[in-house]
Amino acid sequence: MKKAKIGFIGGGNMAGSLIKGLIADSYPADDIWVSDPDESKLKAYRDQLGVNATIDNDELVNEVSVVVLAVKPQILKPVSMGIKEAVKKSAPLVVSIAAGIRSKDIANWLGGDVAIVRCMPNTPALVGSGATGLYANEQVSAEQNDQAESIMRSVGLIVWLDDEQLLDAVTAVSGSGPAYYFLMMEAMEKVAVEMGISQESARLLVQQTAFGAAKLAMEASDSPETLRVKVTSPGGTTERAISSFEGDDFRKIVRSALVAAQNRSAELSDELGG
Ligand SMILES: NC(=O)c1ccc[n+]([C@@H]2O[C@H](COP(=O)([O-])OP(=O)(O)OC[C@H]3O[C@@H](n4cnc5c(N)ncnc54)[C@H](OP(=O)(O)O)[C@@H]3O)[C@@H](O)[C@H]2O)c1
């Protein structure tokens, strides 16, 4: 089957990761377009990845059947309004990875009746291990669903949502989630150094422990709770640590943080949309 031509508006970090992911997935570079105001970035895309690159967003829209909006949320409105006429003419699938902007706002800026898939990726997409929540509006066809899915799958795992509001929860869980783990790693590393382990060894031990725990949780059939109980011998060191966490109300701390992120995501949608 002939692959759809995909165009990325905004050639920054996320677009770069997605384009590299698609090419690693055997997507023909010739079927990929990118637009950006920075000529030096465009040259690098052409020279290093062999994709088509232009400074003109309208030219890109005219060339492709899937347009990925990969600019910062703060400029999505003018960028969308700028390509409105071209989108009206070619009726592409529009995939937005901009955090917080609701599909109805994007549709309004693009002139109304547009097929839109809104995605919430996270930073591990930069190393091919992202987690992305996707929501499709009513205009998206089954074929377009597959197209959006295969783009985001090229940089990690995907989960479909049937209610757009859930993207605020996805933002709180996986969108912002990597930073929660970094905070935990930062805190563990600091204590390890205080306990006398060298900085270099502390970092390695903490990184490998985070990686190993995640790998084990993904490969084992047990739930995280069962895995935790299995490594917690009665009267042992892990039990002492877990009971210290529980005594400090760890679960409440996690709940408050995630609810705060979810609320902020909804607030940002109100601020940036409309
Ligand atoms: N990075 C992440 O982990 C992450 C996670 C989830 C969602 N997202 C979403 O992904 C989107 C992109 O994020 P990013 O981190 O990749 O941002 P980024 O690196 O700043 O990329 C955005 C690119 O768009 C370019 N641009 C600016 N104005 C443009 C225009 N009028 N037409 C075309 N391109 C234009 C920018 O050029 P200049 O630099 O010259 O302005 C920049 O190269 C954001 O909406 C963000 O919310 C990112």
Side-chain angles (χ1 to χ4, degrees):
M1 190 175 74
K2 178 103 181 74
K3 299 268 192 188
K5 287 193 176 183
I6 304 173
F8 292 80
I9 296 191
N13 294 315
M14 245 325 152
S17 304
L18 287 164
I19 292 171
K20 284 179 200 147
L22 285 167
I23 290 173
D25 246 9
S26 312
Y27 216 94
D30 212 31
D31 287 338
I32 299 174
W33 281 74
V34 60
S35 65
D36 197 278
D38 184 344
E39 271 293 359
S40 64
K41 265 188 215 164
L42 298 176
K43 183 172 175 345
Y45 274 109
R46 278 187 213 105
D47 295 351
Q48 290 163 23
L49 297 172
V51 301
N52 305 284
T54 174
I55 206 160
D56 182 351
N57 293 345
D58 278 346
E59 184 193 1
L60 174 141
V61 175
N62 291 334
E63 290 289 340
V64 302
S65 55
V66 181
V67 173
V68 183
L69 299 172
V71 294
K72 290 283 187 207
Q74 292 77 4
I75 61 159
L76 190 61
K77 184 175 181 178
V79 167
S80 300
M81 294 178 87
I83 56 169
K84 182 176 164 176
E85 290 309 318
V87 166
K88 205 192 237 173
K89 236 192 298 165
S90 64
L93 164 67
V94 174
V95 177
S96 169
I97 62 167
I101 313 272
R102 296 187 178 113
S103 61
K104 76 169 171 33
D105 290 317
I106 302 170
N108 284 340
W109 300 334
L110 290 172
D113 197 22
V114 183
I116 296 175
V117 171
R118 191 183 144 199
C119 307
M120 185 60 212
N122 65 7
T123 47
L126 305 177
V127 291
S129 294
T132 302
L134 297 99
Y135 165 80
N137 74 0
E138 278 177 6
Q139 285 84 344
V140 175
S141 68
E143 188 190 2
Q144 290 174 325
N145 253 288
D146 291 347
Q147 289 168 341
E149 189 171 310
S150 65
I151 295 171
M152 301 317 296
R153 226 187 250 294
S154 74
V155 290
L157 168 143
I158 63 109
V159 171
W160 278 103
L161 306 157
D162 53 14
D163 176 356
E164 185 168 3
Q165 258 194 0
L166 285 173
L167 279 174
D168 292 326
V170 168
T171 303
V173 175
S174 54
S176 303
Y180 315 156
Y181 288 97
F182 298 147
L183 178 66
M184 180 77 180
M185 290 165 77
E186 199 185 318
M188 283 177 64
E189 192 180 301
K190 185 162 184 291
V191 179
V193 171
E194 282 166 13
M195 287 172 165
I197 299 173
S198 73
Q199 173 68 59
E200 194 188 346
S201 298
R203 181 152 303 174
L204 288 172
L205 289 170
V206 169
Q207 283 176 346
Q208 183 67 16
T209 303
F211 174 74
K215 192 164 173 3
L216 185 58
M218 290 177 83
E219 290 180 6
S221 51
D222 292 330
S223 68
E225 184 186 359
T226 304
L227 289 171
R228 172 179 57 76
V229 170
K230 276 186 179 170
V231 295
T232 309
S233 337
T237 55
T238 312
E239 187 188 61
R240 195 63 74 81
I242 298 287
S243 103
S244 171
F245 276 129
E246 299 284 16
D248 288 337
D249 231 340
F250 181 72
R251 291 168 202 272
K252 187 170 161 226
I253 292 170
V254 172
R255 167 180 289 276
S256 302
L258 267 68
V259 170
Q262 182 189 31
N263 291 341
R264 182 61 185 141
S265 174
E267 262 171 40
L268 281 171
S269 299
D270 291 337
E271 284 169 24
L272 296 170

